[in-house]
Amino acid sequence: MSVETSVVSFPVWQLTSMAITVLLAFFGFVFTIWKTVTALRDRDAKDAKKSAAEAVAKANENEKSILGLRAELPIEYVRREDWIRNQTIIEAKLDGLADKLDNQGGCRG
């Protein structure tokens, strides 16, 4: 039984050029992946900044709205009819109590 062996021989310049080509392809692949990842990271960072700016604007808008309500609340409360009606009743009761006190004071004095 004989074993045949085959030998493939390449010139050195061809091996060198194949090695350089494989290395360039590998580094090109790595560079492409790196650029893609950095682009995605930059896009996510930009979206996060945009969302944060929108949240700050919304918070400022809500704060202005609350301050406006705080400023309007006493005015609206005084203008409400039920408050005016209650105040009128309290004042009438106080006037009646004052009249009673005056009448009792007048009898004793």
Side-chain angles (χ1 to χ4, degrees):
M1 189 175 217
S2 69
V3 177
E4 291 185 25
T5 60
S6 61
V7 176
V8 178
S9 65
F10 290 102
V12 173
W13 67 270
Q14 285 183 345
L15 289 174
T16 305
S17 65
M18 283 188 347
I20 290 172
T21 303
V22 168
L23 285 174
L24 287 176
F26 174 74
F27 286 121
F29 176 74
V30 169
F31 180 74
T32 302
I33 295 295
W34 179 73
K35 288 293 278 183
T36 302
V37 168
T38 56
L40 289 175
R41 184 193 64 202
D42 292 343
R43 188 188 68 192
D44 290 344
K46 189 181 292 182
D47 289 345
K49 284 181 182 178
K50 183 178 177 183
S51 295
E54 289 174 357
V56 167
K58 182 97 177 170
N60 287 337
E61 182 179 317
N62 287 340
E63 185 176 349
K64 286 180 184 177
S65 176
I66 289 172
L67 290 176
L69 286 174
R70 279 186 179 174
E72 292 177 5
L73 183 62
I75 296 170
E76 293 297 324
Y77 183 73
V78 170
R79 288 182 182 168
R80 289 180 53 177
E81 292 180 14
D82 56 344
W83 185 87
I84 293 171
R85 187 177 333 119
N86 287 338
Q87 188 65 26
T88 304
I89 291 171
I90 290 172
E91 288 177 1
K93 287 181 179 180
L94 286 175
D95 288 342
L97 185 62
D99 289 341
K100 284 182 181 178
L101 288 175
D102 287 340
N103 290 339
Q104 287 179 356
C107 292
R108 289 185 185 169

